[in-house]
Amino acid sequence: MSQSLHDLILSRIRQLGPMDLGEYMALCLGHPEYGYYTTRDPLGAKGDFTTSPEISQMFGEMIGAWVADTWVKLGRPNPFALIECGPGRGTLMQDALRATKNVPGFHDAMRLHLVEISPTLKAAQAECLSAYNPIWLDTLDGVPDMPVILIGNEFLDALPIRQVKFDGEWLEVVIGADEDGKLHPGVRQADATLISILPRKILEEQSQKVFEISPDLNTYVRNVCDLIKTKGGCAIFVDYGHAISSCGDTLQAMREHRFVSPFEDPGQADLTAHVDFENVSLICGALKLHASNIVTQGDFLKTLGIEIRAELLRRHATPDQAEQITLALHRLISDDQMGTLFKVIALCHDREIELAGL
Ligand code: SAH
């Protein structure tokens, strides 16, 4: 199967010349027949990578508490659309909804919407979330006309990026092929439209280091902002990334929990890049919506009470389970694990609303 996507990419490069990273990433992740996400369940010990909700139920429970608190602060809209972008196996949502079942009126008011491209993951979501009658969407276009609370964990990092750098002129990283058909990165002159969307400080810096920009992410965040603006509500994104726009090559490929080359075996590894949270915040601000502070995952989860939750869970656990809970907590909140690298931002139509943990 990998051979087919490789062949397809190679023939496009031979016909049309080197391909930009955005197109390459979109094909590797989302090609309807051979794409990474479209052909498998990538998560968990047997998969290629793991995520916070797969590490511990406590993560989804904290997000559930945040969503319910936000819903109350929004004035308990009924009905409202609870939307998750890229729900993976549905684990986060399952934990969040179990944690909120005693919030009066919350479940009755909720209309669950899942935005997912992977048929395999849709099936996994159906299995654990069917009791909540979810509606699946391919894009945000089909969201009904009601207030929204939208969540995305490790979703934005999967949106295709492009890379530029300055060397006497602006260059873009592109994927070419040698005579044997091996794919490799190179550069070509960058087109003016791409350069026109770089942050001003990056333009002025003219660094020889790579800067990553994602027109797809920009469009997605703008669409989320439009939703919030027209229907009212909030969105929260959790992902690895940086709080300040800065240079650096963060494109990575993961397969069986190891880093591999992004250019070998296209479609067989998860490709991601760190999210530029300052950029997300600026997009939101430019549309006159409120962007929260950008906080670390560790601080966010601790403010929401994850340590107390861990303590409660440990009280009813066997010694082995208690140790697992402690280890999972450490992974989620410690500086040397996911606590600092991962960041959280929320976007809201109303700047008066005080969002928990942000
Ligand atoms: N949120 C989950 C899964 C993260 S992996 C977790 O934390 O465990 C990324 C998820 O986004 C997968 O479900 C993948 O299939 C989905 N995805 C990737 N690109 C997408 C797109 N363009 N539209 C909708 N879903 C997408």
Side-chain angles (χ1 to χ4, degrees):
M1 209 192 263
S2 58
Q3 202 49 33
S4 311
L5 186 58
H6 182 271
D7 290 349
L8 189 143
I9 289 172
L10 191 60
S11 85
R12 283 207 197 176
I13 290 173
R14 292 203 163 135
Q15 264 176 3
L16 306 166
M19 150 183 312
D20 71 57
L21 257 186
E23 186 180 355
Y24 179 74
M25 245 177 117
L27 286 169
C28 289
L29 295 178
H31 186 279
E33 225 175 311
Y34 309 121
Y36 178 75
Y37 281 120
T38 35
T39 51
R40 75 202 69 211
D41 174 354
L43 290 147
K46 289 202 194 108
D48 296 308
F49 61 94
T50 196
T51 56
S52 299
E54 300 299 331
I55 290 171
S56 167
Q57 69 182 71
M58 294 184 286
F59 184 81
E61 290 170 350
M62 293 300 117
I63 298 287
W66 186 89
V67 168
D69 179 69
T70 302
W71 175 72
V72 170
K73 288 172 176 165
L74 286 168
R76 298 184 167 82
N78 182 6
F80 80 102
L82 178 57
I83 306 168
E84 183 171 2
C85 294
R89 288 181 174 166
T91 311
L92 187 163
M93 191 53 83
Q94 195 181 22
D95 293 334
L97 293 179
R98 189 186 58 250
T100 51
K101 67 176 188 295
N102 293 327
V103 178
F106 179 81
H107 278 219
D108 284 345
M110 172 191 79
R111 306 289 179 272
L112 182 61
H113 290 78
L114 306 172
V115 185
E116 177 57 67
I117 50 167
S118 158
T120 316
L121 291 175
K122 272 185 200 169
Q125 294 153 20
E127 216 163 281
C128 64
L129 295 170
S130 59
Y132 304 103
N133 300 317
I135 295 168
W136 279 271
L137 303 172
D138 292 330
T139 67
L140 294 174
D141 290 341
V143 173
D145 201 10
M146 55 181 78
V148 300
I149 300 180
L150 181 147
I151 60 187
N153 184 59
E154 289 207 39
F155 172 71
L156 295 178
D157 67 48
L159 299 179
I161 56 151
R162 292 169 74 174
Q163 291 183 333
V164 294
K165 59 183 173 184
F166 194 84
D167 191 4
E169 61 178 339
W170 283 102
L171 301 172
E172 175 169 14
V173 175
V174 287
I175 315 303
D178 63 19
E179 276 179 13
D180 301 336
K182 199 164 181 290
L183 305 179
H184 56 75
V187 288
R188 73 170 173 220
Q189 194 179 35
D191 65 60
T193 38
L194 186 63
I195 300 309
S196 72
I197 59 170
L198 294 182
R200 172 147 1 124
K201 71 174 177 196
I202 299 297
L203 267 177
E204 286 168 1
E205 212 176 296
Q206 299 198 329
S207 173
Q208 289 186 334
K209 281 200 220 149
V210 155
F211 181 73
E212 293 172 338
I213 182 144
S214 173
D216 287 19
L217 179 145
N218 291 1
T219 305
Y220 214 97
V221 171
R222 268 191 214 108
N223 289 343
V224 169
C225 288
D226 281 346
L227 266 187
I228 293 172
K229 213 169 177 174
T230 49
K231 302 175 200 291
C234 287
I236 186 166
F237 291 107
V238 186
D239 226 306
Y240 38 14
H242 31 280
I244 304 283
S245 299
S246 48
C247 291
D249 181 353
T250 73
L251 177 68
Q252 66 182 41
M254 270 227 151
R255 189 170 180 182
E256 292 166 7
H257 302 267
R258 279 199 309 270
F259 291 112
V260 295
S261 160
F263 310 115
E264 259 167 42
D265 258 347
Q268 297 300 310
D270 184 38
L271 293 182
T272 58
H274 288 194
V275 172
D276 177 351
F277 279 82
E278 183 181 7
N279 171 51
V280 174
S281 177
L282 288 175
I283 292 172
C284 178
L287 293 169
K288 305 264 180 293
L289 284 168
H290 174 62
S292 74
N293 295 320
I294 297 160
V295 303
T296 64
Q297 170 165 304
D299 284 347
F300 177 74
L301 293 176
K302 281 189 272 185
T303 312
L304 285 168
I306 195 167
E307 289 158 312
I308 299 164
R309 179 64 183 141
E311 190 47 46
L312 281 172
L313 284 172
R314 272 191 295 252
R315 269 188 217 160
H316 302 283
T318 63
D320 270 2
Q321 288 168 332
E323 198 185 323
Q324 293 308 317
I325 293 164
T326 304
L327 282 175
L329 179 68
H330 181 71
R331 271 184 88 176
L332 292 177
I333 66 173
S334 293
D335 290 341
D336 61 345
Q337 299 278 318
M338 301 170 87
T340 303
L341 177 61
F342 280 68
K343 312 282 189 305
V344 187
I345 192 171
L347 319 176
C348 189
H349 77 276
D350 183 352
R351 66 181 57 248
E352 300 299 316
I353 292 178
E354 263 188 47
L355 298 165
L358 292 160

